[in-house]
Amino acid sequence: MNSPASTKTESRVDVALLRSHFLVYLALSTAVVGQPLLQLYGENLTIFTTAGFEGIGILGFMGVVLFSIPLLFTVSDAVVQWLAPRFSRVLHYSFVYLLCIGVVLVLTRSLDRPAWILHLLGAGVVAAGLLWLFHRFDGIKTWARWMSLLAVIVAFTFTFSVRDLVWVPEVTALDVNQSTQNDSTVPSEDVSVVWVVLDEAPLFPLVDQQGQINRERFPGFAALADASTWYRNALSGSQTTTDAVPSMLTGLKPKVGAPPILATHEKNIFTLMNSYSEFDVREFTTSLCPDSVCGTIYSSSSTQAESETTDEQVISASKTFSFQQFLKDSLVVLGHKILPAQLRDNLPAIDETWGGFGGNDDVVIDDEFEKPIDDNEEDIVESSLDAETQEEVRAGFRSDGPASLIPAFEAMVERAQKSASSVLHFQHVMLPHRPWKLTPDQRTYPQIPNPGRVKDVTVPDNSTDENVLIDQYQSFLMQYTGVDAMIGKMVTDLKQSDNWDRTMIVVVADHGLSMEGGTTRRRVVNPNQPGTLEDLYRVPLFIKYPAQQEPVISDCDVMHVDILPTVAGVKGLDAGWTYDGVDLRDNCPDRPSREVNWPDGKTNLTSDWTAILDRVELYNSYVPVSGGVDGIFSYGRFAELISTPVTSTSRSSSISSWSVDQKDQFNNISAARFAQVPVMISGEITVSQSIPKDAVGVITVDGVVAGFVGEVSGVAGGETVSYTAAIATSQLKSGSQAVALTIVSGTPQSPTYEMAVSPR
């Protein structure tokens, strides 16, 4: 006989009713959340490879997406049935109503009108009608329950799409022959490889008007060129990372649109060198080396300077995102799939990166990363960080940008310095890729939220406004020169190690970026604009061969597919498959026409390296090529005034008021690495008297010219203009500094300054 308590429970909780409710919730939530998200993620496996997820955890993500809402609603139903049964039907219909609103929003998301508030109200009204039908007709309820089978279909389709990431093929060593000697004095088996892939790094910013490395602005790349072979005529085969990187890692032409995973690129450098080299690998957006092989970093370091004994250091390779961050990103994606157009505009962009757009405000990168690493510590990368901070660093490895990417890169370089055995050090560094936050001296600056007509200087557009283009190009150059400092330090550090001669260094970019006005930065490729093709496909490629003594500039018709054959040749490995590229040590490719690809097309480039000179001239009109790093912040005919003191100023009658949105940031400037400083400032300027077209605004910091405001040139009296200005980092010293605006006219040799009132 049942106890009274048991009878009471059975009378309050109707299991059959809960099962019916669960099926309804499952059907509706699959239509609102499950199908839109899982279809998008299943068709874009790079979302998972970028996040560093593979294996059964991907199916766990599917389970969360499909079942979290129906389970939450059903449990809530059960609780209310138990505690307050008279409200259970109200709660059930409330949940159904919310899901019906979601269904209507999914179906109407493409509508640009009406305004978002009317859109939501309209969705609420339509959902109320659907709820009435659901309440009124039992057949609708039955149909809704049967529609829960949609979840099964979605789950099957998603599982099929991600099968190669869930059940990753086993990586075995290829049956290859390794010779013990190449054409250098270093035996093949002793050669270590440091392979660095930069991202969105075109060649044109690095080059001066004579076609040489711009040494004054990019001393790090100049140092690399002085120690290596610079392949000045190198082209990428694709302007998408997911095609370009697998192409260089396989030595084969891009498989356009193929997932960047092992199952579709089984013959790659990792399968080639497995068992012939230790691995120190960090991939982004690709997963050609699965966790079973590259999930752990192996790096043998000598424990005594003159000893042959080694102490194997084993370091766990961190994932790009935590699962929590991955789910946070999913909520942003869901917002883009459901919300009205006007509300989607306020969400983080999801079309310029593969993750991290959900933000990660909790990540802290502090001076602990700068501590010297002790040879005897078990973890030569993360030993100076406590467990909690390590996890924060892992979570922010990609999303926090340069502040996490550069220390991770430097840790790899340090392992390359210390390694006592042959190691493949491979790192795809998502720099100088957007967002542009890095300064030349490796400090950072916050993105400008909304400087008037410029929504965000780091968000690409097809503007033709000269001032917008200059702002964007300055932001890009700042980050690129910050990367230059990273490359320069790598060259210096490796040169100072005992491993310099036996190390092969490859520095290459997956693709470039166009900054030309009227074009998108990279998303759309127009084959009828040959100049932008040069921006997108002509990339830097430097190879320092083992024991190389003299610098070489090669103008051979090189492509990405030539890199792996060259690495394999130096390592003395016969891949056993036919490359589309050649070993550059023995060949100078003669390719009068080279094929380049993009997602929906391809074309042939017939230009040689000299085509870059026209691009250098174009961008010289944006930001002068000369002037070194400070020249990035110069402008127009008064460019040479940058970093010079302002003397003998008079009070300006042309400016009635002006503002600096970042004024408070000048009160406590830090010189620490990765500290935020007011490098990009914005505000408004109200003009009382017309300003001549040949005059320009000058931003001074402690009386020294630090930036320019072109927006005020030719402005009529009574107008108010928004501005954005880049401030030379060389003038941003520690402590409090005074920022001021002056109007400069006359000539560069004899300038006349008129100082505006203090900023409000």
Side-chain angles (χ1 to χ4, degrees):
M1 179 179 294
N2 292 333
S3 66
S6 176
T7 304
K8 183 178 181 180
T9 300
E10 291 176 0
S11 66
R12 287 195 175 187
V13 178
D14 188 331
V15 176
L17 182 62
L18 288 178
R19 185 185 306 115
S20 175
H21 288 183
F22 173 80
L23 294 176
V24 172
Y25 299 148
L26 180 60
L28 294 175
S29 66
T30 299
V32 176
V33 177
Q35 192 278 334
L37 272 185
L38 295 180
Q39 180 182 0
L40 176 65
Y41 280 46
E43 293 175 351
N44 295 276
L45 299 187
T46 309
I47 296 174
F48 294 106
T49 59
T50 300
F53 288 123
E54 63 180 43
I56 203 70
I58 295 177
L59 297 185
F61 169 74
M62 177 189 72
V64 171
V65 170
L66 284 177
F67 298 110
S68 58
I69 291 177
L71 285 175
L72 176 63
F73 285 3
T74 304
V75 169
S76 300
D77 273 355
V79 171
V80 171
Q81 279 191 33
W82 170 252
L83 297 177
R86 61 183 178 180
F87 294 112
S88 67
R89 174 171 289 194
V90 174
L91 181 67
H92 171 59
Y93 281 124
S94 297
F95 286 155
V96 172
Y97 178 64
L98 288 175
L99 292 172
C100 284
I101 291 177
V103 170
V104 175
L105 289 175
V106 168
L107 296 175
T108 60
R109 72 175 297 276
S110 60
L111 296 177
D112 292 331
R113 297 290 183 271
W116 69 267
I117 186 66
L118 295 179
H119 193 152
L120 292 179
L121 289 174
V125 171
V126 174
L130 295 176
L131 180 64
W132 180 84
L133 293 173
F134 179 83
H135 169 71
R136 181 68 177 81
F137 299 101
D138 290 338
I140 298 292
K141 294 185 179 71
T142 302
W143 176 82
R145 290 192 292 271
W146 277 105
M147 283 302 296
S148 63
L149 291 174
L150 175 63
V152 178
I153 297 172
V154 169
F156 176 81
T157 303
F158 177 79
T159 302
F160 183 80
S161 299
V162 301
R163 64 192 185 281
D164 291 327
L165 284 177
V166 176
W167 298 279
V168 181
E170 182 179 355
V171 177
T172 57
L174 296 176
D175 185 15
V176 300
N177 297 317
Q178 183 178 33
S179 63
T180 59
Q181 188 63 45
N182 51 44
D183 57 1
S184 80
T185 58
V186 181
S188 299
E189 69 270 18
D190 292 340
V191 173
S192 283
V193 180
V194 174
W195 187 340
V196 181
V197 179
L198 302 177
D199 206 295
E200 283 193 345
L203 178 61
F204 66 81
L206 301 181
V207 178
D208 63 20
Q209 290 158 308
Q210 288 72 48
Q212 302 296 318
I213 298 294
N214 188 341
R215 293 176 172 273
E216 194 176 8
R217 183 164 293 167
F218 293 96
F221 281 100
L224 177 61
D226 289 342
S228 66
T229 301
W230 174 27
Y231 293 95
R232 183 167 51 178
N233 195 19
L235 293 183
S236 168
S238 176
Q239 49 68 262
T240 60
T241 300
T242 50
D243 293 336
V245 173
S247 177
M248 68 175 74
L249 292 178
T250 61
L252 303 173
K253 292 180 180 179
K255 296 181 179 180
V256 179
I261 60 176
L262 177 63
T264 53
H265 302 87
E266 292 186 2
K267 297 177 179 179
N268 63 61
I269 190 171
F270 308 117
T271 55
L272 174 64
M273 295 184 68
N274 191 25
S275 298
Y276 293 92
S277 178
E278 295 176 348
F279 285 164
D280 176 358
V281 175
R282 289 188 188 272
E283 296 183 77
F284 278 97
T285 73
T286 63
S287 184
L288 272 62
C289 190
D291 283 349
S292 60
V293 175
C294 294
T296 302
I297 295 171
Y298 293 91
S299 181
S300 298
S301 298
S302 176
T303 57
Q304 299 180 12
E306 298 180 358
S307 172
E308 294 182 358
T309 61
T310 60
D311 176 24
E312 184 175 71
Q313 307 294 337
V314 182
I315 306 104
S316 296
S318 62
K319 292 184 181 298
T320 306
F321 302 128
S322 65
F323 192 70
Q324 180 182 5
Q325 176 66 43
F326 193 74
L327 291 178
K328 189 175 181 181
D329 282 352
S330 300
L331 292 177
V332 177
V333 174
L334 183 62
H336 280 277
K337 298 291 286 185
I338 294 179
L339 295 178
Q342 296 92 336
L343 292 181
R344 294 198 299 270
D345 290 342
N346 296 321
L347 294 174
I350 62 174
D351 58 352
E352 294 302 332
T353 181
W354 289 102
F357 32 76
N360 196 336
D361 299 331
D362 297 330
V363 175
V364 177
I365 307 295
D366 55 25
D367 291 338
E368 291 294 325
F369 251 126
E370 302 304 313
K371 289 184 177 179
I373 298 176
D374 190 319
D375 286 348
N376 297 320
E377 292 192 84
E378 284 190 0
D379 191 333
I380 66 173
V381 179
E382 297 169 346
S383 57
S384 63
L385 304 178
D386 58 40
E388 181 178 356
T389 305
Q390 287 182 34
E391 184 57 35
E392 289 177 344
V393 172
R394 292 188 182 97
F397 186 62
R398 167 64 180 88
S399 61
D400 199 49
S404 57
L405 295 172
I406 292 177
F409 172 82
E410 291 176 343
M412 180 198 72
V413 173
E414 184 156 5
R415 293 192 293 273
Q417 288 179 272
K418 298 178 178 181
S419 176
S421 62
S422 174
V423 181
L424 170 61
H425 304 275
F426 176 87
Q427 193 161 131
H428 180 183
V429 186
M430 294 290 286
L431 292 172
H433 194 288
R434 293 159 288 179
W436 301 316
K437 295 182 176 181
L438 193 64
T439 69
D441 56 9
Q442 293 190 346
R443 289 183 283 182
T444 62
Y445 59 95
Q447 297 179 357
I448 297 176
N450 189 12
R453 55 200 168 89
V454 186
K455 181 180 180 182
D456 189 333
V457 296
T458 66
V459 175
D461 57 27
N462 59 353
S463 174
T464 57
D465 186 296
E466 178 185 14
N467 292 303
V468 173
L469 295 174
I470 291 172
D471 291 338
Q472 291 184 339
Y473 193 40
Q474 287 175 320
S475 295
F476 172 63
L477 286 176
M478 280 194 284
Q479 185 136 305
Y480 214 157
T481 51
V483 172
D484 177 78
M486 180 185 82
I487 295 297
K489 187 176 186 300
M490 176 192 72
V491 174
T492 299
D493 290 349
L494 288 177
K495 273 188 173 182
Q496 292 174 350
S497 76
D498 294 335
N499 290 336
W500 173 253
D501 282 340
R502 75 174 187 88
T503 300
M504 179 183 188
I505 301 175
V506 179
V507 176
V508 66
D510 57 353
H511 50 70
L513 187 76
S514 182
M515 303 297 295
E516 184 173 340
T519 65
T520 59
R521 298 293 156 254
R522 183 163 61 88
R523 188 182 305 118
V524 179
V525 177
N526 185 351
N528 297 318
Q529 291 183 300
T532 59
L533 296 181
E534 299 292 334
D535 297 347
L536 293 174
Y537 296 99
R538 196 170 294 282
V539 295
L541 171 59
F542 302 87
I543 299 179
K544 198 282 288 186
Y545 293 98
Q548 181 170 352
Q549 300 298 317
E550 299 294 332
V552 176
I553 297 179
S554 170
D555 292 330
C556 299
D557 301 327
V558 173
M559 297 196 75
H560 275 165
V561 292
D562 300 319
I563 302 176
L564 178 56
T566 305
V567 173
V570 171
K571 289 292 295 177
L573 295 174
D574 179 3
W577 72 83
T578 301
Y579 301 117
D580 290 325
V582 298
D583 184 344
L584 295 174
R585 299 173 307 152
D586 306 320
N587 299 274
C588 178
D590 182 17
R591 299 174 176 128
S593 179
R594 287 175 281 179
E595 182 180 281
V596 296
N597 301 266
W598 58 94
D600 56 355
K602 61 183 179 180
T603 191
N604 290 303
L605 288 184
T606 58
S607 58
D608 62 19
W609 76 269
T610 58
I612 200 71
L613 299 179
D614 291 336
R615 307 309 291 170
V616 172
E617 285 300 329
L618 169 67
Y619 293 112
N620 183 58
S621 68
Y622 292 8
V623 174
V625 173
S626 61
V629 173
D630 274 359
I632 293 173
F633 306 94
S634 60
Y635 177 82
R637 67 191 189 97
F638 291 104
E640 63 188 57
L641 297 180
I642 193 72
S643 300
T644 62
V646 172
T647 58
S648 63
T649 60
S650 60
R651 180 63 63 187
S652 173
S653 58
S654 301
I655 305 297
S656 59
S657 67
W658 73 293
S659 64
V660 181
D661 298 333
Q662 298 76 17
K663 181 180 177 181
D664 291 344
Q665 296 177 24
F666 286 88
N667 294 333
N668 187 22
I669 294 176
S670 172
R673 195 185 195 199
F674 303 133
Q676 284 200 346
V677 290
V679 172
M680 294 297 292
I681 66 171
S682 57
E684 292 184 341
I685 301 173
T686 300
V687 177
S688 55
Q689 295 182 11
S690 297
I691 297 176
K693 290 184 178 181
D694 60 352
V696 68
V698 168
I699 300 293
T700 63
V701 175
D702 285 349
V704 176
V705 176
F708 294 86
V709 180
E711 287 89 338
V712 298
S713 300
V715 174
E719 291 187 12
T720 297
V721 295
S722 298
Y723 75 92
T724 302
I727 305 300
T729 50
S730 61
Q731 302 308 314
L732 294 176
K733 317 292 186 182
S734 295
S736 178
Q737 294 188 276
V739 59
L741 170 67
T742 68
I743 303 298
V744 61
S745 56
T747 66
Q749 296 74 30
S750 182
T752 300
Y753 295 102
E754 295 183 356
M755 181 175 291
V757 296
S758 298
R760 62 176 187 271

